[in-house]
């Protein structure tokens, strides 16, 4: 069966979409920086000694900006559901919609036999929620 890639989307640190990611790549820039204050207390987990247990010797990272805002109501998702939704799920929905728009389509006009494939590399939210349940 033939497959056609007709739309793409991405979200990386320092790049909110494909065009920004391309610009970042072509310019040879990176998006590493200090841990945002609203993420966690970076000083509590930092130790310049690479052999320290339960610490990080890397004082910077690549962080997505604005992972909390989400047009859930516009998508028919109730506010209470949005509060407990894994941020990766919100990002997946947003990025999937961007890919559909990149293809020049509207979600309501998509053919039934359409697939959205994405890669996800972390599961911190699941671990956080699981640890709260265990506690």
């Amino acid at each position: 069966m033939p497959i056609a890639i007709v739309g793409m989307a991405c979200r990386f640190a320092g790049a909110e979409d494909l065009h920004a990611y391309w610009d970042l790549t072509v310019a040879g820039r990176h998006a590493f920086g200090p841990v945002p204050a609203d993420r966690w207390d970076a000083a509590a987990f930092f130790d310049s000694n690479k052999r320290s247990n339960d610490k990080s010797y890397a004082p910077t990272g690549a962080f997505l900006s604005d992972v909390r805002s989400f047009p859930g109501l516009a998508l028919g998702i109730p506010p209470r559901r949005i509060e407990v939704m894994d941020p990766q799920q919100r990002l997946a929905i947003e990025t999937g919609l961007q890919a559909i728009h990149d293809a020049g389509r509207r979600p309501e006009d998509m053919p039934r036999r359409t697939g959205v494939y994405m890669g996800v590399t972390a599961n911190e939210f699941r671990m956080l929620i699981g640890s709260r349940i265990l506690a």
Side-chain angles (χ1 to χ4, degrees):
M1 174 177 288
I3 296 174
I5 299 172
V6 296
M8 292 175 53
C10 69
R11 183 134 178 228
F12 291 102
E16 298 294 318
D17 58 29
L18 279 168
H19 302 290
Y21 180 64
W22 181 250
D23 292 342
L24 189 74
T25 303
V26 168
R29 295 189 327 261
H30 65 77
F32 284 83
V35 177
D38 65 339
R39 299 292 176 93
W40 64 79
D41 181 5
F45 295 100
F46 176 75
D47 191 330
S48 60
N49 179 359
K50 294 180 181 182
R51 296 186 182 270
S52 288
N53 290 329
D54 301 326
K55 298 284 185 173
S56 172
Y57 62 86
T60 63
F63 298 91
L64 296 179
S65 62
D66 191 25
V67 293
R68 288 180 174 77
S69 68
F70 178 69
L73 291 177
L75 298 170
I77 302 172
R80 288 185 186 260
R81 172 59 56 195
I82 295 168
E83 288 175 18
V84 297
M85 199 176 198
D86 186 322
Q88 290 183 84
Q89 291 174 326
R90 295 192 304 257
L91 289 168
I93 291 169
E94 285 182 316
T95 308
L97 288 170
Q98 288 173 358
I100 290 169
H101 289 277
D102 185 62
R105 306 297 294 261
R106 296 182 315 167
E108 57 271 15
D109 297 335
M110 293 299 293
R112 296 187 87 126
R113 296 183 65 177
T114 299
V116 176
Y117 300 90
M118 59 188 60
V120 177
T121 61
N123 62 1
E124 293 90 359
F125 192 77
R126 180 179 61 108
M127 291 177 4
L128 177 65
I129 295 298
S131 65
R132 287 181 182 169
I133 291 169
L134 290 174

